[in-house]
Amino acid sequence: MARIRLLSEETINQIAAGEVIENPASVVKELAENAIDAGASEIRIEIRGGGQQLIRVSDNGCGMGADDAALSLERHATSKICRADDLSELRTMGFRGEALASIGAISKLTLTTALEKGPGHQIEMEGGRLLKVAPCPRQRGTTIDIRSLFYNVPARKKFQKSAPVNAAEITKTVTLLSLAYPEIGFTLVHQERETFCAPALEAGSFYSRALQVLGETFCAASFQIDHKGFRGFAGNPSQHRPNRSGQYLFINRRPIFSLALSHAVRDGYGTRLTEHRHPIYLLHLDIPPHLIDVNVHPQKREVRFQEERLIKEELREVIQQAFEEPKGAPPVLIRSLLPPPSQPFPWDLPLSFKMREERADPEPLCAPIHEEVHPLGVFSHYLLLEEGNLLTLIDLLAAREQVAFEKLSKKGAIEKTGLLLPFVFELSSAEAHAMEAHLSLFEELGFSLRLSGAQSFIVDAIPAFLETSAIRDALMQIIEGKTSLMNSAQLLSRFARGNKKQFMLQEALALFKELRKCSSPFQNFQGKPIILHLNQDEIAKLFSKKI
Ligand SMILES: Nc1ncnc2c1ncn2[C@@H]1O[C@H](COP(=O)(O)OP(=O)(O)OP(=O)(O)O)[C@@H](O)[C@H]1O
Ligand SMILES: [Mg+2]
């Protein structure tokens, strides 16, 4: 009896999908790239349950007519190339005509699309089977909903990471695309909360987008590069990493991993970098499409170079030269992009993208706190207020600690900062076990952590108040302490005091407002005072004391 048989269409499609779609973040990548290719100026991504429940990508791009919409879900159907030769002139993110078909084969998909003129259309697909095509009102553009991802591929579903880890991966994917396409506005909404927003900028504003997304701290400390089609930032040699996790390379606006180019950058740093350490960088390379082959990796994460040696040599030189030019003040360009000094700026954010919650204070910072409260000023880390006939003193460092403590002890209240460059650290095997046993505690405390290898962990997000330099210390103190939520909240909130001891008045008032929302604004959990009031008699007494 013959042992070889032809596989069913359904099985072929599921296998093919497995190559392209690894996790919810790969779906977001494919759908957002399609929106980019469709000429969208706004892309909105909504996810639920880390993307496993729902991924919805909406764009205001060119949209599709009814026939194209139905064809777009077929395998090997594309509008981007006609023949293999076209690959040498490729300017689009997609070209294989298989992403939508792959996603449709392993999920429940709804596509709603409309051209500039004419009616819109909606198509429903489930596990690769077309269920329904119907007219549907919509403005120009496309919305694709993906529900129940991997519902018919249990083997893949079983190996999916937790919702927070998937959400962090998606944020990273969107962040990367936003760095490559500053002229497009990107919004990411997770569980109905906006977690990332990069408004559209002028075309070509790569530096402004980097500043918008990564923050001034990284950009100002780095070396700006703009030479021979290489643009971006080479991190300060002191910001090295034990691995390549902080290296972001875009080739013709496509996020790419290239060991060869990573070595070239490393060579450019020369002896400025300690042995066995890796630099961090964000680099955009413009290379004529005919000199690269993008059709080498299922998820298009790698490319092959025709003149690899030449590109490596040029890259090495460009990096080397960046260090040789006198640095002094931050480059003029960066300075001109900085917000005016009166505006509060998250100075202490490391190379991280700012999640939306962090800037979510909808009230203006200068709004009066209370009619009878008049700010007098800031002295060292104390805020001075006149409240009726009282002089009020607020210890701002203690206030930071208390605000953090109360948020940490309430489930889901702590704001997170996603790290664009994940923080990786190694532990002894006992420590790694302790860490793994308390992953849910760390989630509650605002960390997104995942195991990588037997004894190393990757941190993708941290509580917003924590400085990156303190991550390891904070995690170690928690696993060494009594790992109850209350105890950990006490340990961790101490880090909220931070290194910065100077406050601007606006910043101090914003913190005071936060403190007033606390259930215990006057005393911390150890009974130490945070706010002191002095009336006129008490002040007079201080003066009348004999020395
Ligand atoms: N958001 C969108 N707006 C307009 N057209 C779209 C959109 N998404 C997909 N399409 C159309 O559907 C076609 C198929 O999309 P699909 O992602 O499957 O393939 P592709 O982008 O051509 O190639 P690849 O598989 O490499 O991504 C595209 O070529 C494009 O014409
Ligand atoms: Mg595509």
Side-chain angles (χ1 to χ4, degrees):
M1 202 174 83
R3 283 178 299 122
I4 301 177
R5 66 186 80 88
L6 287 171
L7 294 174
S8 70
E9 188 76 2
E10 199 180 337
T11 315
I12 294 173
N13 286 344
Q14 282 190 6
I15 293 173
E19 293 238 303
V20 186
I21 307 301
E22 209 182 312
N23 52 27
S26 6
V27 175
V28 170
K29 173 181 179 289
E30 293 300 335
L31 298 182
E33 287 187 356
N34 279 347
I36 292 169
D37 287 344
S41 62
E42 286 296 332
I43 303 177
R44 182 180 171 86
I45 299 121
E46 292 170 60
I47 56 168
R48 248 181 261 145
Q52 288 227 4
Q53 277 169 27
L54 172 76
I55 295 170
R56 173 176 297 149
V57 178
S58 316
D59 67 59
N60 61 354
C62 62
M64 288 178 272
D67 294 346
D68 277 353
L71 253 184
S72 71
L73 296 166
E74 300 263 340
R75 296 203 67 210
H76 315 301
T78 181
S79 57
K80 299 170 192 174
I81 59 166
C82 292
R83 55 189 78 81
D85 281 356
D86 294 344
L87 286 176
S88 62
E89 285 309 318
L90 196 71
R91 290 277 170 200
T92 50
M93 301 295 274
F95 54 85
R96 295 203 185 111
E98 63 178 9
L100 284 187
S102 296
I103 298 167
I106 51 169
S107 69
K108 299 175 183 174
L109 175 151
T110 308
L111 182 157
T112 315
T113 187
L115 297 168
E116 181 77 52
K117 290 201 178 109
H121 293 275
Q122 191 166 72
I123 302 185
E124 282 177 26
M125 182 175 248
E126 197 172 303
R129 274 176 297 118
L130 205 65
L131 297 185
K132 199 170 116 191
V133 183
C136 176
R138 198 204 188 282
Q139 285 187 329
R140 193 189 85 158
T142 304
T143 300
I144 299 188
D145 285 11
I146 306 300
R147 290 194 165 80
S148 313
L149 185 65
F150 302 124
Y151 81 100
N152 54 350
V153 200
R156 185 52 63 96
K157 194 168 178 190
K158 208 165 74 190
F159 289 104
Q160 288 304 302
K161 306 222 170 83
S162 68
V165 173
N166 280 333
E169 278 291 309
I170 290 173
T171 312
K172 213 183 295 173
T173 303
V174 178
T175 307
L176 284 180
L177 287 175
S178 80
L179 286 165
Y181 287 89
E183 71 275 33
I184 301 178
F186 288 85
T187 308
L188 174 63
V189 177
H190 187 204
Q191 310 289 96
E192 271 127 50
R193 287 179 77 194
E194 208 173 88
T195 53
F196 176 85
C197 178
L201 300 167
E202 272 172 42
S205 323
F206 293 104
Y207 297 104
S208 313
R209 180 51 70 83
L211 204 66
Q212 193 183 46
V213 173
L214 303 179
E216 194 267 346
T217 312
F218 164 70
C219 298
S222 302
F223 291 78
Q224 198 177 336
I225 288 166
D226 189 1
H227 193 53
K228 295 185 180 171
F230 298 84
R231 271 178 298 190
F233 295 100
N236 195 296
S238 62
Q239 298 174 307
H240 47 73
R241 287 278 166 94
N243 51 38
R244 296 190 172 82
S245 61
Q247 308 191 341
Y248 291 92
L249 174 70
F250 297 84
I251 297 182
N252 300 349
R253 302 176 130 201
R254 197 187 289 283
I256 291 292
F257 173 74
S258 161
L259 198 57
L261 297 198
S262 170
H263 282 311
V265 177
R266 176 72 182 76
D267 288 349
Y269 273 76
T271 50
R272 289 177 182 87
L273 215 60
T274 330
E275 236 187 309
H276 307 304
R277 302 294 291 183
H278 300 274
I280 63 174
Y281 55 79
L282 165 68
L283 283 174
H284 295 277
L285 269 68
D286 287 330
I287 300 180
H290 67 273
L291 293 182
I292 53 174
D293 182 359
V294 286
N295 191 22
V296 291
H297 187 276
Q299 289 148 26
K300 311 184 187 97
R301 275 202 220 122
E302 291 170 22
V303 295
R304 206 173 287 137
F305 303 95
Q306 218 178 76
E307 303 279 357
E308 185 172 289
R309 203 185 45 76
L310 214 75
I311 294 173
K312 274 177 69 176
E313 190 49 33
E314 286 201 346
L315 183 55
R316 192 188 59 77
E317 257 174 43
V318 165
I319 299 285
Q320 209 168 18
Q321 279 169 18
F323 295 122
E324 277 157 16
E325 274 150 28
K327 185 148 191 281
V332 178
L333 175 72
I334 293 186
R335 241 182 300 145
S336 67
L337 293 169
L338 291 179
S342 61
Q343 227 171 297
F345 204 88
W347 297 105
D348 39 18
L349 280 188
L351 181 46
S352 61
F353 47 88
K354 291 161 291 221
M355 285 192 168
R356 189 64 172 180
E357 303 95 290
E358 237 175 300
R359 337 164 183 159
D361 191 352
E363 298 164 56
L365 288 180
C366 284
I369 302 157
H370 189 280
E371 272 173 20
E372 286 179 14
V373 178
H374 300 290
L376 299 175
V378 176
F379 171 72
S380 174
H381 60 270
Y382 300 99
L383 170 64
L384 276 61
L385 302 171
E386 186 187 347
E387 269 189 276
N389 56 1
L390 293 176
L391 173 68
T392 302
L393 293 153
I394 295 125
D395 180 340
L396 295 167
L397 296 183
R400 266 196 191 162
E401 187 175 338
Q402 183 65 7
V403 168
F405 171 71
E406 294 215 358
K407 287 187 179 172
L408 285 166
S409 20
K410 247 185 258 156
K411 271 193 182 164
I414 192 73
E415 292 107 4
K416 283 184 180 189
T417 294
L419 302 178
L420 180 58
L421 304 183
F423 177 82
V424 182
F425 64 102
E426 301 267 332
L427 292 171
S428 70
S429 99
E431 287 164 343
H433 274 116
M435 189 74 101
E436 213 186 344
H438 294 100
L439 281 184
S440 59
L441 171 71
F442 288 113
E443 292 285 347
E444 278 177 37
L445 295 170
F447 291 91
S448 287
L449 273 184
R450 58 201 155 100
L451 196 59
S452 138
Q455 281 163 240
S456 77
F457 281 82
I458 299 179
V459 185
D460 293 302
I462 55 175
F465 63 77
L466 194 67
E467 289 167 15
T468 30
S469 53
I471 296 176
R472 194 192 160 94
D473 232 18
L475 293 171
M476 294 310 290
Q477 284 197 21
I478 294 169
I479 52 169
E480 281 160 11
K482 287 188 217 109
T483 40
S484 68
L485 179 61
M486 207 38 94
N487 191 58
S488 308
Q490 287 183 6
L491 281 172
L492 194 54
S493 59
R494 279 188 210 138
F495 288 88
R497 289 179 159 257
N499 297 325
K500 200 175 98 174
K501 306 277 187 262
Q502 293 295 325
F503 291 80
M504 288 186 300
L505 181 60
Q506 286 182 340
E507 209 182 347
L509 292 174
L511 182 55
F512 180 49
K513 261 202 219 165
E514 286 280 299
L515 181 67
R516 285 167 63 107
K517 291 183 207 153
C518 287
S519 55
S520 171
F522 294 100
Q523 283 188 342
N524 77 358
F525 50 83
Q526 293 165 314
K528 287 197 187 145
I530 306 167
I531 301 180
L532 287 180
H533 292 298
L534 290 174
N535 63 27
Q536 289 192 3
D537 288 349
E538 284 163 326
I539 295 170
K541 249 189 230 162
L542 288 175
F543 281 106
S544 63
K545 269 190 188 157
K546 284 199 184 132
I547 301 167

